[in-house]
């Protein structure tokens, strides 16, 4: 029987509620702990057994691909490129979404605060130098929206603007695009299809969730965590949380968890259940 293969990068970012949701729908799961030396699948027989590839988060990033510290990242990127070429089902979460975007040819980069354009200088004046970009990491609890037409996507059907989600990322990405056709007509003809849909946004990060082609989905935020999973992630990456949220970061996140978790769990389970129902047609 085909299975959901889950690639886990660190011990404190687990699949959480993914496993019980998939189990309830009769889909077996296998977790490969890459940080412990488990192998990234490479053979065609391995790929044939994968009903969906799920790539979890982690403190590493796309710039670490090819480095000695995380040798599995380069293999993961190649595996994702294979899935992109075949349009095989993928769910990427946080780092997994960034790796999926990179595998599909999109740029991944630090999330920075938008800078409004400066007014044009007066005649004879030298324009002032551009200020350095201000990083906008997104950590902790924040609401997300489901902009039209992304909100009509099957994976986020039933979701409501303002739903609280748990964020833990410094980077963002461009939406991947299909390569342009070789003989595309020039404007005013309609532009060729992009192959993507923006499914979710937040105040600090526009590209929160996307679909590419038909069966590949990336979510910058975590929808899968349990209470214990949130506590483990925050504890393991405490310094990053304090750097972004200040000395009271742990208390702020704990208060948010107490306030938002029940709604968050229902919404996250709905996304995962929508995904499983979507996979039934394949």
């Amino acid at each position: 029987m085909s299975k959901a293969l889950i690639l886990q990068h660190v011990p404190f970012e687990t699949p959480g509620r993914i496993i019980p949701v998939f189990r309830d729908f009769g889909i077996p799961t296998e977790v490969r702990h890459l940080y412990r030396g488990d192998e990234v699948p490479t053979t065609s027989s391995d790929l044939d057994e994968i009903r969906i590839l799920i790539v979890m988060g982690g403190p590493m990033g796309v710039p670490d691909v090819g480095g000695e510290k995380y040798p599995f990242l380069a293999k993961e990127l190649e595996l994702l490129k294979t899935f992109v070429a075949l349009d095989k089902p993928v769910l990427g979460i946080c780092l997994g979404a960034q790796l999926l975007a990179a595998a599909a040819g999109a740029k991944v980069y630090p999330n920075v605060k938008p800078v409004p354009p400066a007014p044009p200088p007066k005649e004879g004046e030298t324009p002032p130098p551009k200020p350095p970009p201000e990083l906008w990491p997104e950590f902790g609890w924040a609401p997300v929206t489901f902009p039209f037409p992304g909100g009509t996507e099957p994976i986020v059907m039933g979701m409501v603007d303002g739903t609280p989600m748990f964020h833990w990322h410094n980077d963002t990405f461009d939406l991947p695009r299909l390569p342009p056709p070789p003989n595309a007509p020039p404007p005013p003809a309609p532009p060729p299809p992009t192959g993507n849909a923006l499914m979710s946004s937040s105040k600090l990060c526009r590209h929160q969730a996307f679909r590419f082609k038909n069966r590949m989905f990336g979510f910058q935020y975590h929808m899968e965590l349990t209470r214990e999973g949130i506590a483990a992630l925050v504890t393991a990456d405490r310094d990053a949380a304090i750097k972004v949220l200040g000395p009271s970061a742990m208390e702020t996140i704990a208060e948010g968890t107490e306030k938002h978790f029940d709604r968050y769990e229902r919404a996250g389970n709905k996304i995962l259940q929508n995904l499983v129902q979507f996979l039934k047609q394949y």
Side-chain angles (χ1 to χ4, degrees):
M1 178 183 289
S2 61
K3 62 192 175 187
L5 183 67
I6 302 170
L7 303 182
Q8 184 175 333
H9 302 105
V10 286
F12 53 84
E13 292 201 41
T14 71
R17 288 177 284 101
I18 293 174
I19 291 178
V21 169
F22 276 54
R23 180 188 60 218
D24 289 347
F25 282 86
I27 299 177
T29 57
E30 177 190 344
V31 181
R32 296 202 182 181
H33 301 267
L34 304 185
Y35 59 95
R36 294 200 310 226
D38 290 355
E39 286 295 322
V40 175
T42 55
T43 66
S44 58
S45 59
D46 283 338
L47 301 188
D48 290 342
E49 295 178 357
I50 300 174
R51 186 168 185 177
I52 181 172
L53 178 68
I54 302 175
V55 185
M56 303 304 302
M60 59 288 290
V62 171
D64 293 309
V65 173
E68 295 182 0
K69 189 173 183 180
Y70 307 110
F72 48 79
L73 288 178
K75 296 178 181 178
E76 275 187 280
L77 191 62
E78 290 306 311
L79 176 63
L80 283 166
K81 287 180 180 179
T82 298
F83 272 64
V84 168
L86 299 174
D87 195 14
K88 287 178 66 72
V90 175
L91 172 63
I93 299 174
C94 199
L95 169 66
Q98 296 163 14
L99 288 169
L100 174 59
K107 183 181 177 182
V108 180
Y109 47 90
N111 192 45
V112 297
K113 184 177 181 178
V115 178
K122 296 180 181 179
E123 186 176 353
E125 288 186 346
T126 302
K130 290 184 178 179
E134 180 183 347
L135 296 180
W136 255 17
E138 194 172 24
F139 282 63
W141 293 97
V144 298
T145 59
F146 301 89
F148 182 84
T152 63
E153 289 283 316
I155 306 306
V156 293
M157 289 297 289
M159 303 302 293
V160 178
D161 283 352
T163 299
M165 287 294 171
F166 194 76
H167 308 260
W168 208 263
H169 65 98
N170 293 289
D171 294 341
T172 187
F173 41 71
D174 294 334
L175 297 184
R177 301 175 66 92
L178 294 171
N183 297 310
T194 63
N196 66 47
L198 176 63
M199 299 194 301
S200 189
S201 299
S202 71
K203 181 178 179 181
L204 296 188
C205 185
R206 173 171 168 75
H207 293 164
Q208 280 287 351
F210 69 91
R211 170 185 54 77
F212 185 54
K213 293 188 174 180
N214 297 304
R215 297 184 283 179
M216 290 170 283
F217 306 91
F219 284 81
Q220 187 88 275
Y221 51 79
H222 293 270
M223 89 293 284
E224 82 290 355
L225 294 172
T226 61
R227 287 181 184 269
E228 297 76 15
I230 291 171
L233 172 55
V234 173
T235 300
D237 210 6
R238 177 190 182 99
D239 291 345
I242 292 174
K243 182 179 179 181
V244 174
L245 300 176
S248 60
M250 308 300 281
E251 293 78 10
T252 299
I253 292 173
E255 290 171 3
T257 301
E258 188 63 29
K259 179 180 180 180
H260 299 303
F261 185 82
D262 289 345
R263 183 181 177 190
Y264 162 79
E265 182 180 47
R266 291 193 298 271
N269 285 349
K270 178 64 175 174
I271 291 173
L272 294 170
Q273 291 162 359
N274 286 346
L275 175 63
V276 174
Q277 295 281 10
F278 179 80
L279 290 175
K280 282 185 175 182
Q281 61 185 301
Y282 297 102

